[in-house]
Amino acid sequence: MSEKVDLFVIGAGSGGVRAARIASGYGARVMVAEEYRVGGTCVIRGCVPKKLLVYASRFADEFEDAAGYGWTLSEPKFDWPTLIANKDREIARLEAAYTANLDRAKVKIVKSRAVMLDPNTIRLATTGETVHAKHILIATGATPHLGGDIPGIGYVISSNEAFHLPQLPKRILIQGGGYIALEFATIFNGLGTEVTVVYRGENILRGFDDEVRTHLRGELEKRGIRILTKQVVVRMEKLDHELRVVLSEHEDVAVDQAMFATGRKPNIEHIGLEAAGVALGQTGGIAVNEFSQSSVPNIYAIGDVTNRVNLTPVAIREGHAFADTVYGGKPTPVNHSDVPTAVFSEPEVGVVGLTEAEACRALAKVDIYKSTFRPLKATLAGRDTRTFMKLVVDGHTDRVVGCHIVGPEAGEMIQLIGVAVKMKATKADFDATMAVHPTAAEELVTMREKSATHVRQAAE
Ligand SMILES: Cc1cc2nc3c(=O)[nH]c(=O)nc-3n(C[C@H](O)[C@H](O)[C@H](O)COP(=O)(O)OP(=O)(O)OC[C@H]3O[C@@H](n4cnc5c(N)ncnc54)[C@H](O)[C@@H]3O)c2cc1C
């Protein structure tokens, strides 16, 4: 006889864990299946281990910059296996904490792949047992997508394997121009690897503000990262001691490691979507409404598997809103506008709201304020780097509709600017806020001169 639950969650990642805990708190009988490790992508092989590697890579600048501030250091040495072992220990600790939190919340965890047999029945792959559920929540996340099957693709790693390389490569080629590609490019660059980034588009960071893209590219190139755009890897050959990578623009690059960060695809395969009758949306994820309800009324989907805004805090919010809606008697739609986000490259990027181009398409009048300056810390250090900031303002309402930062601590800054943008703060509100001096963030409240005004002809 199959076990009966109120809610069966497929996937114990960011969204699934939150939904399971909150639903259980409302009194639902909840079971969650996880086929790999509790915590999901973010904790096990995404945001958290990535940020730990980012911290490791940034010591290189600190050691270099210290000389300008009077320090004399013996030559620093870096050991990759030590970093990876310490990182793995911390991830194991976090996984245990997530498991303990689910246990405390009385959520039953099954370490198994789960597949839907119909809208109310789930099969556990490890034991073959079935579970009957009133509601099913699909929170299966996404997987690296390496693109087409080119010769030598077997030599390529994704971000999953990058976290577990046995040794630090001396030379790496990273294909991709998105945030994961660029974060790993700066991690490896900071740790002393020679890095080549190959991207098929015109410029890196597609979808970000054009000036952010150009500024970041310049900064990465100053750090010695080679960025080759408008080309792709066409094949790879393993030679005795290296990998020969052939590019579409006929250049060969010899490296020790090739990594592709060419996108992620929702985990929709072999989870029984057809059997349950769950429909897909246009972007390849599970189609859902604003309450994360799928085409089958008792089946919901949250997080990366829906391919809406693929970030951890969004998956968590969607999971919480689902539980409030279905078990808490509080129908809670999720608003996906003005989601602040960061790229933990070196320098960092932090953005919220509309880009200049998006604002020009959406609004009749747009005012732009921007500033480029040398961070104070770089002066004595003698470091050649510049910070870039831009405010995008609705010219008619004075509302700040976008903020874009490239520079140290951009991620920390944009979290707080995100509050102001969400509250619909105006440029006058920014101006009325006293500066904190001396900081980089003060620039955001002291930009007096418009650098451009765009007026849409037809609207005026
Ligand atoms: C390298 C990298 C860096 C990132 N950095 C950031 C960042 O800095 N900030 C940020 O906000 N986001 C970041 N992300 C994105 C973030 O990790 C995801 O948006 C987030 O984890 C999505 O949560 P989720 O709950 O949808 O899925 P996941 O966290 O991916 O969880 C899905 C879980 O479901 C399990 N699963 C799948 N199928 C089944 C099945 N059939 N049965 C049982 N279990 C199953 C998987 O094993 C997985 O554990 C990063 C991602 C990567 C890859």
Side-chain angles (χ1 to χ4, degrees):
M1 206 182 75
S2 69
E3 194 165 345
K4 283 193 168 66
V5 295
D6 296 315
L7 171 64
F8 193 99
V9 181
I10 311 179
S14 306
V17 166
R18 174 60 69 92
R21 284 177 48 208
I22 303 300
S24 184
Y26 284 127
R29 194 160 167 226
V30 185
M31 188 183 280
V32 57
E34 172 53 56
E35 68 174 347
Y36 182 53
R37 292 177 67 182
V38 173
T41 304
C42 177
V43 175
I44 306 296
R45 46 193 178 183
C47 336
V48 177
K50 179 269 306 280
K51 191 86 187 273
L52 294 174
L53 300 196
V54 166
Y55 284 132
S57 68
R58 286 182 179 168
F59 282 98
D61 279 11
E62 295 292 324
F63 294 137
E64 254 180 55
D65 292 356
Y69 284 88
W71 290 91
T72 305
L73 304 174
S74 53
E75 201 193 330
K77 286 197 177 61
F78 171 71
D79 185 55
W80 173 262
T82 301
L83 170 64
I84 296 304
N86 290 349
K87 180 264 296 173
D88 286 345
R89 201 172 319 115
E90 173 58 11
I91 299 311
R93 189 190 67 78
L94 285 173
E95 184 184 5
Y98 271 72
T99 306
N101 283 342
L102 283 170
D103 286 342
R104 254 196 306 277
K106 300 193 172 26
V107 173
K108 182 166 178 189
I109 306 170
V110 277
K111 296 298 290 288
S112 170
R113 184 169 178 79
V115 179
M116 291 178 290
L117 301 180
D118 64 45
N120 293 104
T121 315
I122 300 102
R123 183 176 173 277
L124 302 176
T126 44
T127 59
E129 283 169 86
T130 56
V131 179
H132 183 274
K134 278 194 208 138
H135 285 100
I136 296 175
L137 178 67
I138 306 170
T140 50
T143 299
H145 179 56
L146 298 186
D149 190 16
I150 56 170
I153 191 77
Y155 302 121
V156 172
I157 59 164
S158 71
S159 57
N160 284 353
E161 295 76 38
F163 288 116
H164 297 286
L165 285 175
Q167 61 199 31
L168 182 69
K170 287 199 170 54
R171 301 162 297 175
I172 193 167
L173 177 139
I174 300 177
Q175 175 154 255
Y179 79 95
I180 294 176
L182 301 177
E183 288 173 343
F184 274 98
T186 50
I187 287 168
F188 284 117
N189 171 261
L191 297 178
T193 300
E194 195 182 299
V195 180
T196 303
V197 172
V198 175
Y199 178 55
R200 68 176 172 186
E202 289 273 334
N203 202 358
I204 56 171
L205 275 193
R206 186 164 63 92
F208 282 69
D209 187 272
D210 284 337
E211 283 183 291
V212 166
R213 301 169 75 185
T214 307
H215 189 86
L216 181 67
R217 180 174 182 166
E219 289 292 324
L220 297 182
E221 286 173 339
K222 273 195 247 172
R223 305 181 70 80
I225 296 175
R226 195 157 75 118
I227 300 179
L228 307 173
T229 47
K230 293 193 269 184
Q231 53 193 310
V232 293
V233 173
V234 289
R235 66 170 192 278
M236 277 153 292
E237 287 161 26
K238 188 94 178 150
L239 305 178
D240 276 352
H241 299 293
E242 59 188 25
L243 199 58
R244 184 170 153 258
V245 184
V246 181
L247 303 178
S248 54
E249 295 306 306
H250 309 298
E251 192 189 349
D252 289 4
V253 185
V255 292
D256 308 302
Q257 187 68 65
M259 168 178 167
F260 284 8
T262 38
R264 294 175 59 78
K265 57 174 194 229
N267 279 329
I268 50 165
E269 276 164 32
H270 312 300
I271 56 171
L273 291 184
E274 310 76 18
V278 174
L280 296 181
Q282 290 187 338
T283 58
I286 294 175
V288 287
N289 64 18
E290 74 268 40
F291 298 103
S292 298
Q293 187 178 32
S294 79
S295 56
V296 180
N298 71 310
I299 301 181
Y300 287 69
I302 52 162
D304 286 8
V305 74
T306 62
N307 213 3
R308 286 177 281 181
V309 179
N310 298 332
L311 293 169
T312 285
V314 178
I316 292 173
R317 180 64 63 88
E318 289 166 357
H320 203 126
F322 153 79
D324 285 346
T325 301
V326 177
Y327 298 102
K330 289 180 279 185
T332 309
V334 175
N335 181 335
H336 291 92
S337 65
D338 295 331
V339 175
T341 185
V343 180
F344 296 100
S345 50
E346 184 57 47
E348 260 175 44
V349 177
V351 303
V352 63
L354 302 180
T355 65
E356 184 169 345
E358 285 167 347
C360 289
R361 283 196 292 275
L363 303 170
K365 187 171 175 223
V366 178
D367 291 330
I368 301 296
Y369 296 81
K370 59 187 179 188
S371 175
T372 308
F373 57 94
R374 191 175 193 199
L376 182 59
K377 190 178 172 197
T379 53
L380 295 200
R383 180 168 292 281
D384 177 17
T385 181
R386 297 187 87 73
T387 290
F388 172 78
M389 292 181 178
K390 177 191 274 192
L391 292 179
V392 182
V393 179
D394 182 331
H396 282 314
T397 63
D398 198 39
R399 192 188 150 196
V400 177
V401 292
C403 177
H404 307 268
I405 305 170
V406 185
E409 309 297 351
E412 300 291 341
M413 282 188 247
I414 212 66
Q415 178 67 84
L416 300 178
I417 294 291
V419 178
V421 169
K422 199 73 186 170
M423 290 178 74
K424 305 191 181 346
T426 60
K427 178 66 168 61
D429 294 324
F430 275 58
D431 295 345
T433 304
M434 206 65 86
V436 178
H437 184 72
T439 63
E442 68 180 303
E443 205 67 27
L444 292 165
V445 297
T446 54
M447 290 188 205
R448 299 274 173 250
E449 301 291 319
K450 279 179 210 167
S451 72
T453 293
H454 306 285
V455 179
R456 207 191 297 152
Q457 292 305 324
E460 287 294 295

